[in-house]
Amino acid sequence: MIMRRIVITEKLSSEQHQQIEGILPQWEILSGEQTRSDFKLLRSAEIITGFVDSELVEAILADTNDLQWLHVWSAGVDSMPFARLADRQIALTNSSGVHEHSITEVILMFLLALSRRLQCSLRSQLRHEWDMVKPLPGLHGRTLGILGVGTIGR
């Protein structure tokens, strides 16, 4: 019996690999960055996931293949060959929204750090000097606008 194949184009820890195999024992799970250059392997996979770009997808689609589902670990899929994927009835999904909270927190951290000129204080600290940065405008009384229709902008 031929096992169904999932190719993950990124390196996984042995624990992650074992966890996936435990959930999907009937599937062959192949992972690692070396899988990106093995087109015979990629074309034999029913599922491909990882940080996959449009050039790699075009190369995979250049020949007949078993691909049914392509999941991209990034949010952006604007450059993907939508028509070719649709013609072959290959599902395309992405990871939009997966970093919603962490990115929002990083943005807030940088807003506070920049408004308090943290970078100047850090440079002074490295020089073992106490240069008081004046003025420290902060964010009090300021208006902040968040633009965007994605999960971060909501």
Side-chain angles (χ1 to χ4, degrees), residues 4 16 49 51 55 58 66 71 81 85 87 91 96 100 111 128 149:
R4 300 169 81 181
Q16 291 169 322
T49 185
F51 290 109
E55 290 179 24
E58 289 285 3
D66 297 326
H71 178 78
L85 290 166
D87 288 345
S96 180
E100 166 187 353
L111 276 171
H128 302 284
V149 294

Short mmCIF file of all heavy atoms in Angstrom, two decimals, residues 4 16 49 51 55 58 66 71 81 85 87 91 96 100 111 128 149:
data_model
loop_
_atom_site.label_atom_id
_atom_site.label_comp_id
_atom_site.label_asym_id
_atom_site.label_seq_id
_atom_site.Cartn_x
_atom_site.Cartn_y
_atom_site.Cartn_z
N ARG A 4 0.11 7.97 1.76
CA ARG A 4 -0.10 9.35 1.35
C ARG A 4 1.05 10.18 1.92
O ARG A 4 1.62 9.84 2.95
CB ARG A 4 -1.45 9.82 1.86
CG ARG A 4 -2.58 8.97 1.29
CD ARG A 4 -3.87 9.24 1.97
NE ARG A 4 -4.47 10.43 1.39
CZ ARG A 4 -5.62 10.95 1.80
NH1 ARG A 4 -6.28 10.40 2.78
NH2 ARG A 4 -6.10 12.02 1.22
N GLN A 16 8.19 17.41 17.25
CA GLN A 16 7.12 17.86 16.36
C GLN A 16 6.82 16.81 15.30
O GLN A 16 5.66 16.52 15.00
CB GLN A 16 7.52 19.18 15.68
CG GLN A 16 7.57 20.36 16.61
CD GLN A 16 8.22 21.57 15.97
OE1 GLN A 16 9.20 21.45 15.22
NE2 GLN A 16 7.69 22.75 16.26
N THR A 49 3.34 22.10 2.87
CA THR A 49 3.18 23.23 3.77
C THR A 49 4.55 23.77 4.17
O THR A 49 5.54 23.04 4.16
CB THR A 49 2.35 22.85 5.02
OG1 THR A 49 2.13 24.01 5.81
CG2 THR A 49 3.04 21.80 5.86
N PHE A 51 7.05 27.71 4.33
CA PHE A 51 7.25 29.02 3.71
C PHE A 51 7.53 28.78 2.23
O PHE A 51 8.67 28.65 1.82
CB PHE A 51 8.38 29.80 4.39
CG PHE A 51 8.03 30.24 5.77
CD1 PHE A 51 8.62 29.67 6.88
CD2 PHE A 51 7.08 31.24 5.97
CE1 PHE A 51 8.29 30.08 8.15
CE2 PHE A 51 6.74 31.66 7.24
CZ PHE A 51 7.34 31.08 8.33
N GLU A 55 7.55 30.95 -6.95
CA GLU A 55 8.48 30.30 -7.87
C GLU A 55 8.52 28.80 -7.64
O GLU A 55 8.54 28.01 -8.59
CB GLU A 55 9.88 30.89 -7.72
CG GLU A 55 10.00 32.30 -8.23
CD GLU A 55 11.40 32.87 -8.03
OE1 GLU A 55 12.36 32.09 -7.93
OE2 GLU A 55 11.52 34.10 -7.98
N GLU A 58 5.25 27.32 -8.94
CA GLU A 58 5.29 27.22 -10.41
C GLU A 58 6.11 26.01 -10.85
O GLU A 58 5.72 25.29 -11.77
CB GLU A 58 5.87 28.50 -11.01
CG GLU A 58 4.97 29.71 -10.91
CD GLU A 58 3.80 29.70 -11.90
OE1 GLU A 58 3.62 28.73 -12.65
OE2 GLU A 58 3.06 30.70 -11.89
N ASP A 66 0.59 15.14 -7.55
CA ASP A 66 -0.51 14.65 -6.71
C ASP A 66 -1.01 15.72 -5.75
O ASP A 66 -1.84 15.43 -4.89
CB ASP A 66 -0.03 13.44 -5.88
CG ASP A 66 0.35 12.26 -6.76
OD1 ASP A 66 -0.29 12.07 -7.81
OD2 ASP A 66 1.30 11.53 -6.40
N HIS A 71 -0.52 24.72 1.84
CA HIS A 71 -0.70 25.65 2.96
C HIS A 71 0.59 26.44 3.14
O HIS A 71 1.65 25.87 3.38
CB HIS A 71 -1.06 24.95 4.26
CG HIS A 71 -1.21 25.92 5.38
ND1 HIS A 71 -2.34 26.71 5.53
CD2 HIS A 71 -0.36 26.31 6.35
CE1 HIS A 71 -2.18 27.51 6.57
NE2 HIS A 71 -0.98 27.28 7.09
N PRO A 81 0.08 31.52 -8.16
CA PRO A 81 -0.62 31.33 -9.44
C PRO A 81 -2.04 30.80 -9.22
O PRO A 81 -2.32 29.61 -9.40
CB PRO A 81 0.28 30.31 -10.16
CG PRO A 81 0.90 29.52 -9.05
CD PRO A 81 1.10 30.49 -7.92
N LEU A 85 -3.64 26.96 -9.86
CA LEU A 85 -4.04 26.15 -8.70
C LEU A 85 -5.53 25.78 -8.81
O LEU A 85 -5.91 24.64 -8.56
CB LEU A 85 -3.77 26.91 -7.40
CG LEU A 85 -2.29 27.08 -7.03
CD1 LEU A 85 -2.14 28.12 -5.93
CD2 LEU A 85 -1.68 25.76 -6.62
N ASP A 87 -7.35 25.60 -11.58
CA ASP A 87 -7.53 24.66 -12.69
C ASP A 87 -7.27 23.22 -12.26
O ASP A 87 -7.92 22.30 -12.74
CB ASP A 87 -6.60 25.01 -13.86
CG ASP A 87 -7.03 26.26 -14.60
OD1 ASP A 87 -8.19 26.70 -14.41
OD2 ASP A 87 -6.20 26.79 -15.37
N ALA A 91 -6.30 23.21 -3.28
CA ALA A 91 -6.69 24.17 -2.24
C ALA A 91 -5.46 24.95 -1.79
O ALA A 91 -4.38 24.37 -1.59
CB ALA A 91 -7.30 23.43 -1.06
N SER A 96 -2.77 33.62 7.75
CA SER A 96 -3.18 34.97 8.10
C SER A 96 -3.85 34.96 9.48
O SER A 96 -4.72 34.13 9.75
CB SER A 96 -4.16 35.50 7.05
OG SER A 96 -4.57 36.80 7.40
N GLU A 100 -1.57 37.51 15.22
CA GLU A 100 -2.37 38.69 15.54
C GLU A 100 -1.98 39.32 16.88
O GLU A 100 -1.70 40.52 16.95
CB GLU A 100 -3.84 38.28 15.55
CG GLU A 100 -4.79 39.25 16.16
CD GLU A 100 -6.20 38.67 16.27
OE1 GLU A 100 -6.46 37.58 15.75
OE2 GLU A 100 -7.01 39.36 16.88
N LEU A 111 5.95 51.45 19.89
CA LEU A 111 5.35 52.78 20.06
C LEU A 111 5.80 53.40 21.38
O LEU A 111 6.20 54.57 21.43
CB LEU A 111 3.82 52.69 20.05
CG LEU A 111 3.16 52.68 18.69
CD1 LEU A 111 1.67 52.36 18.84
CD2 LEU A 111 3.33 54.01 18.00
N HIS A 128 27.98 53.68 29.69
CA HIS A 128 28.04 53.91 31.14
C HIS A 128 27.89 55.39 31.47
O HIS A 128 28.58 55.93 32.34
CB HIS A 128 29.34 53.34 31.74
CG HIS A 128 29.51 51.88 31.50
ND1 HIS A 128 28.81 50.92 32.19
CD2 HIS A 128 30.27 51.20 30.59
CE1 HIS A 128 29.15 49.72 31.75
NE2 HIS A 128 30.03 49.86 30.77
N VAL A 149 -7.30 46.32 7.52
CA VAL A 149 -8.51 45.52 7.56
C VAL A 149 -8.21 44.10 8.04
O VAL A 149 -9.12 43.29 8.14
CB VAL A 149 -9.21 45.47 6.18
CG1 VAL A 149 -9.72 46.82 5.80
CG2 VAL A 149 -8.28 44.93 5.11
#
